[in-house]
Amino acid sequence: MRIEALAADFGVSVAWRPFLLGPIFKKQGWNTSPFNLQPAKGRYMWCDMERQCERYGLPFQMPSPFPQNGLLAARIAFAGRDQPWIGAFSRAVYIAEFGQGLEIEDEALMADLLIEVGAPAKQALADAVSPETKIGLRAAVSEAEKLGIFGAPSFVAPNGALFWGDDRLEQALETVRASA
């Protein structure tokens, strides 16, 4: 939610690289989110998310079910990763799922969010289901694994340094700025 504004403050550009966490979790032997598998950690995570949302002035509603099927949203984001609307779309999906409790697998919702952020909804939805996007998103998962990514949000600096979580965003941006 904050990366683009903070990156601009740091003089750093952002390259969005959408991927899916589900396949990464499955390779670790998990069939769901670690927050579901570890109840104490899950309770803490939801409490922490609520605190963070309050801190940043964002709405929060625990989505049900969790995790949701984010395949369509991920495909749209992957196909649009270099488009000027990608940041706004990513934030809109987050608000829909974690701020309003909406089901992000709903194609009509995705179309509405695309229109809301000024994206060509019909074309973006068509691109999302193209064979190229499906193959590309699978490759993005493989690339995320090679980078050592295990959760989201993750930030990878040009020198390969990996930072995970909202609380590491400033440190990631400082690292990028220092290496520029």
Side-chain angles (χ1 to χ4, degrees), residues 13-154:
S13 63
V14 174
W16 291 86
R17 295 297 171 247
F19 67 99
L20 293 167
L21 273 175
I24 291 172
F25 287 169
K26 282 186 182 175
K27 283 193 175 179
Q28 296 180 42
W30 303 338
N31 62 356
T32 186
S33 167
F35 304 123
N36 290 342
L37 295 172
Q38 302 169 12
K41 188 174 188 176
R43 283 189 301 275
Y44 176 84
M45 187 272 301
W46 290 118
C47 180
D48 195 49
M49 281 189 70
E50 189 170 11
R51 282 192 299 248
Q52 289 295 86
C53 285
E54 185 175 321
R55 177 181 183 197
Y56 296 130
L58 300 170
F60 177 76
Q61 182 174 333
M62 185 172 161
S64 181
F66 178 80
Q68 290 195 10
N69 180 346
L71 182 59
L72 178 59
R75 285 180 175 167
I76 292 168
F78 179 82
R81 66 195 177 279
D82 297 322
Q83 298 299 316
W85 48 263
I86 184 59
F89 176 74
S90 297
R91 288 187 297 277
V93 170
Y94 175 87
I95 292 295
E97 182 177 7
F98 292 98
Q100 299 170 319
L102 301 176
E103 294 188 22
I104 60 169
E105 68 183 297
D106 182 345
E107 186 174 330
L109 173 62
M110 291 297 105
D112 289 346
L113 296 180
L114 286 161
I115 291 166
E116 179 183 303
V117 302
K122 188 174 181 178
Q123 184 62 54
L125 288 168
D127 291 345
V129 297
S130 75
E132 295 82 14
T133 295
K134 292 175 183 181
I135 291 166
L137 186 56
R138 279 192 221 90
V141 171
S142 294
E143 179 64 20
E145 289 173 322
K146 288 177 190 167
L147 293 169
I149 291 174
F150 56 89
S154 289

